[in-house]
């Protein structure tokens, strides 16, 4: 990190030292003791402009206070059957760690349907995974490896990616916008696997619209990416859809405890049990409340709207030209600043 970067972080820190409650408490949940790394993330997302980064972080803190994000890990989605339905239709999980200690998150982009619950449940679940990652997973990894670990890697499975995806693009853009505005620069690298032609066609037109910083994060791997991913992680940490010799469905695995999307996987069991436990701690005499947490849904920035329109246009061309049909459930490859596609936490 150069002199300019250190100066920017010091200036940013001086501004954040002036923050008062309730924003100050919210900021503690964001930085988790890693001030410099947190400030650097927001600075990167705003091209190291201290004023813009400060506004971004303060806006994030206001969002957290207004939507009670600091308490979201005390609000389980119940009953369990409803949460299982969310997990079965919003395919995301954690499969292990890279050799550098970064958590490996897997996303079933092509087979996520987001059709088993309301938008608010999917948004709630997504934020809860983000918060559990930032408050529990990353601090635990930092202690284990003896150094700050504040980012993760993501493996995006494009198996099943089809054209009817436009039905989900609004929800995906909402989730993506929440990430870009409030969880910037949390992903070190995106690995795309099992990419069909439709992904290649969309990526070709979207890639030029992204900032160079974002483009460098995306690696499109051959087939299921197994050989390339084994260079950065052990076989035990590979997502289940990368362990087969060939491509295959990412929704189901022969053994549910190997399928990191399943509620029966250890990561999701630990997450769900943690949230239920925290709900009892926060309100020990009250029954757990049913119903979703309603978070203010943001409007996408102009740049994000442009990318969505580009994807829609390209997919209509494919549909008209090739007669293809089906469903694209979120092509999120941008994790940081003002540019975004649809999501994949």
């Amino acid at each position: 990190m150069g002199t300019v970067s250190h100066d920017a972080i010091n200036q940013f820190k001086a501004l954040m030292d002036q923050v008062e409650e309730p924003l100050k408490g919210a900021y503690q949940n964001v930085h988790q003791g890693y001030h410099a790394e947190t400030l650097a993330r927001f600075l990167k997302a705003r091209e190291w402009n201290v004023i813009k980064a400060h506004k971004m972080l303060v806006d994030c803190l206001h969002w957290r206070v207004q939507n009670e994000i600091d308490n979201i890990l005390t609000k389980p989605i119940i009953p369990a059957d409803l949460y299982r339905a969310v997990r079965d239709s919003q395919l995301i999980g954690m499969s292990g760690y890279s050799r550098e200690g970064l958590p490996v998150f897997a996303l079933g982009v092509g087979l996520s349907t987001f059709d088993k619950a309301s938008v608010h449940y999917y948004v709630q679940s997504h934020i809860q995974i983000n918060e559990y990652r930032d408050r529990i997973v990353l601090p635990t990894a930092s202690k284990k490896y003896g150094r700050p670990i504040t980012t993760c890697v993501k493996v995006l499975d494009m198996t099943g990616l089809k054209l009817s995806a436009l039905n989900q693009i609004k929800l995906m853009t909402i989730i993506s916008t929440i990430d870009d505005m409030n969880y910037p620069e949390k992903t070190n690298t995106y690995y795309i696997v099992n990419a069909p032609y439709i992904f290649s066609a969309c990526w070709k037109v979207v890639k030029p619209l992204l900032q160079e910083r974002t483009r460098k994060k995306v690696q499109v791997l051959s087939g299921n990416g197994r050989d390339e991913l084994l260079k950065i992680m052990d076989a035990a940490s590979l997502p289940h859809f990368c362990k087969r010799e060939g491509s295959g469905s990412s929704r189901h695995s022969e053994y549910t405890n190997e399928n990191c999307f399943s509620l029966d996987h250890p990561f999701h069991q630990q997450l769900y049990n943690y949230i239920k436990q925290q709900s009892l701690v926060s309100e020990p005499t009250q029954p757990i409340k049913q119903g979703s947490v309603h978070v203010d849904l943001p409007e996408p920035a102009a740049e994000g709207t442009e990318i969505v329109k580009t994807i829609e246009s390209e997919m209509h061309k494919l549909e008209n030209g090739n007669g293809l049909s089906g469903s694209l459930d979120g092509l999120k490859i941008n994790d940081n600043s003002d540019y975004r596609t649809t999501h994949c936490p």
Side-chain angles (χ1 to χ4, degrees):
M1 193 177 291
T3 303
V4 174
S5 301
H6 279 297
D7 289 345
I9 289 175
N10 288 335
Q11 293 174 36
F12 197 176
K13 185 178 183 303
L15 291 174
M16 293 308 298
D17 285 343
Q18 301 174 29
V19 170
E20 298 179 353
E21 296 292 355
L23 301 187
K24 186 175 182 179
Y27 180 48
Q28 290 175 345
N29 263 332
V30 172
H31 66 65
Q32 292 292 317
Y34 299 104
H35 293 267
E37 291 78 10
T38 300
L39 298 177
R41 286 196 298 107
F42 281 84
L43 283 164
K44 286 178 185 177
R46 289 296 177 263
E47 302 299 332
W48 293 90
N49 183 306
V50 175
I51 301 303
K52 291 182 178 180
H54 178 252
K55 181 181 185 305
M56 182 186 189
L57 180 48
V58 170
D59 287 347
C60 165
L61 299 181
H62 279 295
W63 171 79
R64 295 183 69 89
V65 171
Q66 291 166 5
N67 292 281
E68 299 185 355
I69 302 300
D70 291 339
N71 296 325
I72 202 165
L73 290 181
T74 68
K75 302 182 184 303
I77 295 174
I78 57 171
D81 285 347
L82 173 59
Y83 188 62
R84 184 176 293 278
V86 171
R87 291 278 56 82
D88 288 345
S89 53
Q90 182 183 35
L91 303 183
I92 180 173
M94 182 179 151
S95 61
Y97 294 85
S98 74
R99 292 195 181 95
E100 294 183 344
L102 275 64
V104 177
F105 281 85
L107 299 105
V109 176
L111 292 175
S112 290
T113 56
F114 299 94
D115 60 353
K116 304 298 183 184
S118 71
V119 168
H120 290 288
Y121 278 116
Y122 288 115
V123 170
Q124 175 182 346
S125 172
H126 176 77
I127 294 174
Q128 286 178 330
I129 291 174
N130 280 357
E131 291 292 315
Y132 187 75
R133 174 198 65 197
D134 294 351
R135 297 194 222 173
I136 305 298
V137 175
L138 291 172
T140 300
S142 299
K143 291 178 182 178
K144 178 180 178 180
Y145 288 88
R147 62 182 179 82
I149 294 177
T150 58
T151 61
C152 63
V153 298
K154 291 180 180 176
V155 184
L156 282 58
D157 181 21
M158 296 294 169
T159 299
L161 194 67
K162 299 174 185 176
L163 287 176
S164 58
L166 298 179
N167 297 333
Q168 308 295 341
I169 207 163
K170 182 177 180 180
L171 171 57
M172 295 304 93
T173 304
I174 288 170
I175 290 177
S176 174
T177 304
I178 288 173
D179 277 0
D180 292 343
M181 293 172 65
N182 303 290
Y183 303 94
E185 297 290 336
K186 294 300 295 187
T187 303
N188 190 54
T189 309
Y190 295 94
Y191 296 99
I192 311 294
V193 303
N194 297 325
Y197 172 74
I198 187 174
F199 170 80
S200 302
C202 289
W203 177 235
K204 183 178 179 180
V205 296
V206 168
K207 187 176 180 180
L209 301 178
L210 301 174
Q211 293 181 346
E212 181 181 3
R213 180 179 70 253
T214 300
R215 290 197 299 268
K216 288 181 177 179
K217 288 185 177 186
V218 182
Q219 295 189 29
V220 183
L221 305 183
S222 174
N224 65 11
R226 183 175 183 271
D227 293 342
E228 288 298 313
L229 291 172
L230 284 174
K231 296 177 181 178
I232 67 162
M233 67 184 75
D234 294 334
S237 289
L238 284 173
H240 58 279
F241 51 81
C242 297
K243 292 182 179 181
R244 304 179 184 88
E245 291 300 323
S247 326
S249 167
S250 66
R251 186 187 294 275
H252 300 292
S253 179
E254 182 179 355
Y255 303 104
T256 54
N257 64 343
E258 291 184 359
N259 181 348
C260 61
F261 299 149
S262 170
L263 178 55
D264 299 315
H265 186 272
F267 168 75
H268 282 301
Q269 284 293 302
Q270 292 164 13
L271 167 63
Y272 196 46
N273 288 334
Y274 177 85
I275 295 174
K276 288 192 293 184
Q277 182 183 36
Q278 292 302 304
S279 72
L280 295 175
V281 171
S282 64
E283 295 182 345
T285 62
Q286 301 296 322
I288 298 175
K289 297 178 181 178
Q290 295 192 29
S292 62
V293 173
H294 283 226
V295 174
D296 293 338
L297 304 180
E299 291 294 327
E303 295 86 350
T305 302
E306 178 185 0
I307 290 178
V308 169
K309 288 181 178 178
T310 301
I311 293 174
E312 290 176 332
S313 174
E314 187 64 22
M315 294 186 71
H316 283 310
K317 289 178 185 177
L318 289 169
E319 187 174 29
N320 295 333
N322 301 322
L324 300 175
S325 61
S327 100
L328 162 73
D329 288 310
L331 172 62
K332 179 174 190 303
I333 48 182
N334 178 34
D335 177 65
N336 36 49
S337 61
D338 298 318
Y339 292 86
R340 57 189 65 84
T341 57
T342 53
H343 172 302
C344 294

